[in-house]
Amino acid sequence: MDNRQQLMSELMDLCNEIIWLNKPELESALAGYTLNEIELIEHIALIPEANVTKLAAASYMTRGAISKLTKKLLAKNIIQRYQNEDNKKEIYFELTKKGQEINTIHQQLHEAFLIRDQDVFAHMTKEEFDTIFRFIGRYRHHLKNITK
């Protein structure tokens, strides 16, 4: 196995291990919601004027999948729809109070995971962070170019 294959294998294993470790706590704290729903709630909280197109791009899902998820979240009173006065055609989404509470729980879990894993990051130098960020940036740029 060459360095490229080993790096990709290690990255995939790391992601899977993190998901495996975090999943029980996420499922317990956010029972009744799928991981896709939780991710969509987070995106709606973060993206200004979140609409189906922006949410699909941020979630790497189809617009159809986002439409189905938003319908579920609307039915659960997690999000609500709105329109801007200057553009009655476009529909946007925002979190309800219940949605904000769910997002807060989710963000608190992220913070708890960072605290749990702080030993790893405490020993990293700025140069190590910069190298990793450059690699990820180049790889993401590459992937965006080949998907256009």
Side-chain angles (χ1 to χ4, degrees):
M1 181 181 314
D2 71 19
N3 285 342
R4 296 168 303 162
Q5 291 170 316
Q6 184 175 357
L7 176 60
M8 293 308 295
S9 178
E10 293 287 337
L11 285 173
M12 293 302 294
D13 286 348
L14 175 61
C15 289
N16 288 331
E17 286 175 42
I18 292 169
I19 291 166
W20 178 82
L21 184 61
N22 295 350
K23 189 175 179 181
E25 203 166 337
L26 282 165
E27 287 176 341
S28 174
L30 299 165
Y33 302 99
T34 66
L35 293 178
N36 282 340
E37 289 171 335
I38 299 303
E39 179 185 355
L40 194 61
I41 290 166
E42 181 177 37
H43 288 308
I44 291 170
L46 294 173
I47 297 171
E49 296 187 329
N51 61 19
V52 170
T53 302
K54 289 179 182 179
L55 294 169
S59 302
Y60 300 97
M61 293 183 191
T62 65
R63 290 176 49 176
I66 296 298
S67 291
K68 287 180 183 180
L69 277 173
T70 55
K71 285 178 186 172
K72 287 181 183 180
L73 293 177
L74 285 163
K76 292 179 179 183
N77 195 32
I78 304 300
I79 63 171
Q80 58 192 17
R81 299 159 45 141
Y82 71 95
Q83 293 175 303
N84 286 336
E85 289 296 321
D86 57 330
N87 183 357
K88 293 290 187 183
K89 182 179 168 188
E90 191 67 53
I91 295 172
Y92 303 100
F93 302 99
E94 62 188 1
L95 298 180
T96 62
K97 183 174 166 75
K98 187 176 176 182
Q100 290 170 358
E101 290 168 1
I102 291 166
N103 190 52
T104 297
I105 293 168
H106 184 219
Q107 296 312 313
Q108 289 170 343
L109 286 168
H110 279 299
E111 281 299 316
F113 299 149
L114 282 174
I115 291 168
R116 177 199 66 204
D117 300 336
Q118 69 186 350
D119 288 346
V120 174
F121 300 109
H123 301 295
M124 287 184 65
T125 65
K126 181 186 181 320
E127 291 76 23
E128 288 174 317
F129 275 111
D130 290 346
T131 299
I132 292 169
F133 291 146
R134 273 194 314 275
F135 169 75
I136 291 170
R138 279 195 309 261
Y139 206 120
R140 292 185 80 190
H141 180 75
H142 165 73
L143 294 177
K144 284 180 184 176
N145 283 339
I146 63 173
T147 57
K148 287 183 179 178

